[in-house]
Structures are given as structure tokens and as C-alpha cells.
Amino acid sequence: MKIESKEYRTIWFENNNVKIIDQTKLPHRFEIKDLKTVKDAINAIKIMEVRGAPLIGATAAYGMVLSIIENNDQSYLKKSAIDLINSRPTAINLKWAVDRMLDKLSGVNSENIFDIALNEANKICEEDEKFCESIGINGLKIIEEIYNKKKDTVNILTHCNAGWLATINWGTATSPIYHAHKKGIPIHIWVDETRPRNQGANLTSFELNEENVPNTIIADNTGGILMQRGKIDMCIVGTDRTLANGDVCNKIGTYLKALAANDNNVPFYVALPSPTIDWETKSYKDIPIEERNSDELSYIDGLDENHNIKKILIYPQKSKAMNLAFDITPAKYITALITERGICEASEKGIKKLFK
Ligand code: MRU
């Protein structure tokens, strides 16, 4: 995807450093940052310089490479793996990527362990890019179908950022959007602001602007009335973990949007690459839901009159706040899952048909 007309991936490896786009600075500053140590990678995931399920998986994979550069020792590698997995609890891609790296590297004592690790981390990124592109090609059919019936602009609501910035390229929820836009189908995106960290406003709207996709930011509670007024043709969101029964864990607020969509007969799609499927956890009640610092609610970042980024308090100083980062949308509210292998029902049967 492009920033000021230049093509970028969200993460890459160069001169023994991992290069990331510091997402805590967006949309006001576009800064590339170097991660030099496994601690840097853990910190970048924790404070959300990188975020989004596939991208934190990729960062953790490169974190394992940094661990080898620092100290080529199996017990250090295992400790790094545990620390990386624990850096954020909800997105399953993180554990998936670290386990895949461990599988490749455990017991490898040869001098070329670095090459093996780097090759595997690069492969994880290349695969994610291909998966996201395929999600786009598959999801495009849904948008085309709506356009062929409506013969007018297709209005799509999305929540949080399941975009290019959450993956290596293309995004998951945004990939069908970018494919439709490139094909010349008229689309307009309603972007949920996504409090408290505003990933919709700060990241999704930013990246859609860079690709010239028409979009409008709305407060998180606006989607319901827009659906009642017929202003939303479909919703597409991403996911941090989807159970094999089709229940979807995603950014807080997704569930309420799915309920509103269900009440208004608006199709509600979830886009995901297969590493986001959790094949082991049986019940949504067992998904660890991250609770983040309440300062993310009570303080907000913005540009001051001198164009410096400034943090200000917006809540009463004495008020308590609670910051759960994800919620669960039961499969029954999901029209279908859009994956790299095709579109399927959000159910065990549907998922198993595509992923035997
Ligand atoms: O807390 P974040 O910003 O990491 O949450 C991101 C989301 O909820 C995305 O929808 C999800 O990771 C899917 S990204 C393709």
C-alpha cells in the first residue's frame, strides 16, 4: 500500500534491525523505527507501536531473529519466545508465529540458525501478504454482487483497523475494499472511530485516504442509526482470534455492531487469514481478553497549535475507568467468514469445509 505515493510494507528486516512504522505516531507523523533487540520487539507489541493480529505475529517472528543475534543460545531463545507470547494475550497469531519459529529453531545449534530464522520470519510475512491478497479477491465478489444489484455506491462499515497497517500488506477487512476500489466499483467506507485508541480514525481513515478510498469517520455509536436509515450495505471487520465454531473475538465494540447489523438485516462479514483460527479453545469464555491501562481512555493524543503531539486528560481526575480491549461476536450474528481459501459459514462445518 502507498504512503505519499510510495509503496511500503509495514515491517521489514534490514542491516540486522527490524524496521516498523511507529503506529503510535499516526496519523500525525509517519516515522520508521528500528527494533534492535528482542526487548524492543516485546515493547513495540505491548505499547502498540505495531498492532493488529497478523502484524504482531510477524513482529514476534522477527523478535525471535533478534533474540538469536543478541545471544545464540537455546535457553535464551525459549525465554524470548515466552516473553513474546505474553506481550499481548488475545491475538492468537502471536503464539502461532512464535510456535512456528520455535518448531524450526529448537535444537538447531548450527551456525546457520540465523539464516533459518530470518528465512522463516520472512516466509511468515510473505504468506500473510498472499493470504490477505486472496481474502481481497474472495471478498471482492461480495462487494461486486451488492453493486450489481444496487447500481450505486456500496457503503461499507468497518471497525478498528483490520487494514494494511494491521498486516504486512492489503489488510484483511480492507483487502476486499482495496480490490473493489482498484476495480473501479464505487465504494464509500464508514469508519468507526474505535475508542479508546481510535484505530479507526487514526489508522483506517489514514490509510484509506492515502489510497484515495472515500471514507467518513463516525463515532462508535453512530452505526446503528445509519443501518436503520439504509446507509450501510454491509459490514466487514477483522478478528484477533476466531474459534473453530465460528465465534469471533475482535476489537471492543464489534459485538454491538453485529447486533445492530442483525436487527437491520445488514450482512456482517469477518475477514481473516487462517493463522487467526484458534483450533484448540473450545469456548469463547476461555479466550483471554486483554485489559489495558485505563489511561488509554482518560487521556487522548492530538496535535497542539504548534503541531506538536500532545497528551491531554479528558476525564475527571478522580473517575475510575475500565479498558477491555476485545469482545466476542457469537457465530450466529456473522453472515460469513472471508478467508484466503474462500468464503464460508461461521460454523465448525463451514470452517472445516475450507480447512480440512
Ligand atoms: O488492539 P489492536 O489495534 O491490535 O486490535 C486490532 C483489531 O482488533 C483488528 O481488528 C484485528 O487484529 C484484525 S487485524 C487484521
Side-chain angles (χ1 to χ4, degrees), residues 48 51-54 88 160-162 166 172 199 239-240 250-251 326:
M48 294 173 68
R51 25 72 48 209
R88 283 193 81 188
C160 193
N161 174 264
T172 57
Q199 289 97 325
T239 163
D240 288 81
N250 191 46
K251 181 53 55 192
F326 299 96

Side-chain angles (χ1 to χ4, degrees), residues 181-211:
H181 181 67
K182 281 182 201 301
K183 216 177 163 189
I185 297 173
I187 51 171
H188 165 260
I189 315 304
W190 295 110
V191 178
D192 277 352
E193 180 189 30
T194 320
R195 285 282 293 146
R197 289 187 68 108
N198 296 342
Q199 289 97 325
N202 290 349
L203 306 176
T204 304
S205 183
F206 167 80
E207 62 166 88
L208 292 174
N209 291 344
E210 294 297 314
E211 289 284 332

Side-chain angles (χ1 to χ4, degrees), residues 29 78 82 108-109 140 173 178 198 204 213 217 243 304 325 337:
R29 307 259 190 277
K78 289 211 172 86
I82 293 167
V108 177
N109 290 310
L140 168 65
Y178 289 130
N198 296 342
T204 304
V213 179
I217 299 168
L243 300 190
D304 68 11
L337 303 175

